[in-house]
Amino acid sequence: MALKRVVVTGVGALTPIGNNAAEYKAGLFSGKNGAAPITRFDASLFKTRFACEVKDFDPLVFLDRKEARKVDAFVQYAMVTADEAIADSGINADNTNLQRVGVIFSSGIGGLGTLLDELSNFGRGDGTPRFNPFFIPKAIIDIASGHISIKHGLMGPNYAVVSACASSTHSLINAFDLIRLGKADVMISGGAEAAVNAAGIGGFNAMHALSTRNDSPETASRPFDKDRDGFVLGEGAGALVLEEYEHAVKRGAKIYCEVAGGASTADAHHITAPHPEGLGASNVMRLALEDAGMQADEIDYINVHGTSTPLGDIAETKAIKTVFGDHAYNLNISSTKSMTGHLLGAAGAIEALACLFSITDGVIPPTINHFTDDPEIDPRLNLTFNTAQKRNVRAALSNTFGFGGHNASVILKAIE
């Protein structure tokens, strides 16, 4: 069976550096920083007191008060970005069979804020079980996909993929596979996360994963820098409308780029630490190239996982050199987490968008906050430090890796 081509026809974003896709793109290209002291709760007693929060977001601009109260913040973020992407694509009941339009929308943690609130309220009581009737529907990860489908009448495949920080890249790959196998015409895919709360910060602090650079939050996320000390927690969402190519052409859709291939692997090494030589990472990039039918030298840009952790950044650069050989030195490489922080399960979606923008606009977003070279990272690699670079991007690869050893890579390319 001949596989169908898959393209991107709609985009949406809600991030710490921009509250829609256009603002997010402008923030990426200008090197905007999303880190600041936490406003969501009193973090004064925590080891880390800053994060990359979504700013100036009022859910009541997008949802009525009753609806907003029934959903966790991560679902609010998901619905807003999906709405933007669907509107951008022009998909509707007049030009598309909605029974063949599906949703795969992920989160790494889901309704952590709801869980924290409900258990805190219960703990303050006399032990009598009193819980909000929306507690479970607000907290479960798959509910974002459900709300999006209900709002827009989308009756195709509908579920969530969970693989920690690789979740929304896996969602994109699953959506891509459903379309190219002919099981759907259109898929709304992406991820959302809202874990900037006491449980999120406290939990990651307990495992020493977060930067504690409280005296300089704006420079705390510094991937590949010698003095990096952990990631900065971010929040928000990203959404992409994936569509079968002929279906998109028939309805006269705007086409951003093509989804060329994707792959998944496991490190089979450690629950949180990467394989020291980047074995799982090199395997997943190699398999993604094979899936796309592409050679290594056809990739121009890699948006790396690049979380700003001591071990992860080194392992990923080793993996890139293993897969790309001498071409590694011709690549542009950058970590946009230096600007957005780490959006956990939503990272893959917003970073796929960064790759898409690099293709459509010919601009490589930078890795900001680079001050000191790490002697363990090859200085010949072009890590696009501090300033965006112009480049004609034929194809871009996005890496996301999650706790548990989950690895996912997706490749986007210019439409031919």
Side-chain angles (χ1 to χ4, degrees):
M1 180 179 110
L3 295 176
K4 298 179 182 293
R5 295 175 67 188
V6 181
V7 294
V8 180
T9 57
V11 297
L14 176 62
T15 78
I17 61 170
N19 286 15
N20 56 49
E23 289 181 3
Y24 172 50
K25 179 171 70 172
L28 286 174
F29 292 168
S30 66
K32 187 175 181 179
N33 194 299
I38 290 170
T39 65
R40 295 277 184 272
F41 66 99
D42 180 1
S44 59
L45 297 180
F46 287 73
K47 294 177 183 177
T48 296
R49 299 187 288 277
F50 60 92
C52 287
E53 297 175 327
V54 168
K55 300 161 186 68
D56 302 317
F57 173 72
D58 181 359
L60 300 185
V61 173
F62 306 95
L63 307 170
D64 67 53
R65 187 175 301 275
K66 186 176 180 180
E67 183 181 25
R69 290 178 61 189
K70 293 180 180 179
V71 296
D72 187 88
F74 93 96
V75 177
Q76 295 174 2
Y77 297 167
M79 293 178 72
V80 168
T81 56
D83 285 357
E84 181 186 4
I86 291 168
D88 185 44
S89 74
I91 286 288
N92 57 55
D94 294 329
N95 59 31
T96 302
N97 177 1
L98 298 187
Q99 293 187 20
R100 290 184 56 80
V101 181
V103 185
I104 307 177
F105 221 93
S106 288
S107 181
I109 298 180
L112 185 62
T114 292
L115 180 64
L116 177 63
D117 290 344
E118 291 294 322
L119 295 183
S120 296
N121 290 336
F122 176 69
R124 285 192 289 266
D126 60 4
T128 302
R130 296 185 180 92
F131 290 94
N132 188 313
F134 293 103
F135 171 26
I136 300 302
K138 286 176 71 173
I140 55 178
I141 289 174
D142 64 293
I143 205 68
S145 289
H147 276 290
I148 293 165
S149 69
I150 291 166
K151 181 172 184 178
H152 296 279
L154 311 178
M155 293 174 280
N158 189 283
Y159 56 93
V161 178
V162 181
S163 52
C165 303
S167 295
S168 53
T169 302
H170 277 127
S171 287
L172 291 170
I173 293 168
N174 276 206
F176 168 58
D177 284 340
L178 285 169
I179 295 172
R180 65 175 173 170
L181 290 171
K183 297 180 183 294
D185 295 328
V186 181
M187 295 294 299
I188 289 79
S189 186
E193 206 76 81
V196 180
N197 51 50
I201 295 292
F204 283 116
N205 266 165
M207 62 185 299
H208 305 287
L210 297 181
S211 170
T212 56
R213 204 178 296 276
N214 294 299
D215 58 341
S216 182
E218 68 280 0
T219 67
S221 184
R222 47 176 76 184
F224 311 115
D225 190 271
K226 178 179 178 293
D227 298 317
R228 64 192 180 277
D229 69 331
F231 70 82
V232 177
L233 188 60
E235 63 173 0
L240 294 87
V241 175
L242 274 55
E243 186 168 353
E244 193 273 321
Y245 173 71
E246 296 296 341
H247 185 277
V249 170
K250 183 177 180 179
R251 69 180 187 86
K254 167 179 76 268
I255 295 175
Y256 286 100
C257 64
E258 183 168 357
V259 184
S264 307
T265 66
D267 276 1
H269 172 69
H270 189 273
I271 58 170
T272 57
H275 188 282
E277 298 301 317
L279 181 60
S282 60
N283 285 342
V284 78
M285 287 186 281
R286 185 181 295 109
L287 289 171
L289 286 167
E290 290 180 9
D291 188 53
M294 297 175 69
Q295 299 300 311
D297 62 4
E298 295 180 82
I299 301 294
D300 295 312
Y301 170 50
I302 299 178
N303 187 295
V304 290
H305 188 55
T307 57
S308 189
T309 54
L311 297 177
D313 292 1
I314 293 171
E316 191 169 8
T317 57
K318 288 180 178 178
I320 290 169
K321 290 169 63 177
T322 297
V323 174
F324 289 89
D326 289 341
H327 182 61
Y329 305 116
N330 300 322
L331 294 164
N332 269 92
I333 301 165
S334 72
S335 171
T336 49
K337 288 184 180 73
S338 59
M339 296 176 274
T340 65
H342 191 351
L343 269 65
L344 308 178
I350 68 165
E351 289 161 16
L353 288 173
C355 288
L356 180 150
F357 297 144
S358 75
I359 293 168
T360 59
D361 289 54
V363 178
I364 306 294
T367 304
I368 67 169
N369 293 331
H370 182 72
F371 305 99
T372 308
D373 289 344
D374 184 338
E376 294 193 58
I377 293 176
D378 191 335
R380 296 173 294 173
L381 294 172
N382 181 2
L383 297 169
T384 322
F385 285 135
N386 297 324
T387 305
Q389 296 178 12
K390 291 184 177 181
R391 177 169 183 165
N392 177 37
V393 178
R394 301 164 298 168
L397 182 150
S398 179
N399 284 333
T400 47
F401 311 138
F403 286 171
H406 311 296
N407 307 304
S409 294
V410 66
I411 297 174
L412 306 180
K413 69 177 184 180
I415 193 73
E416 296 175 356

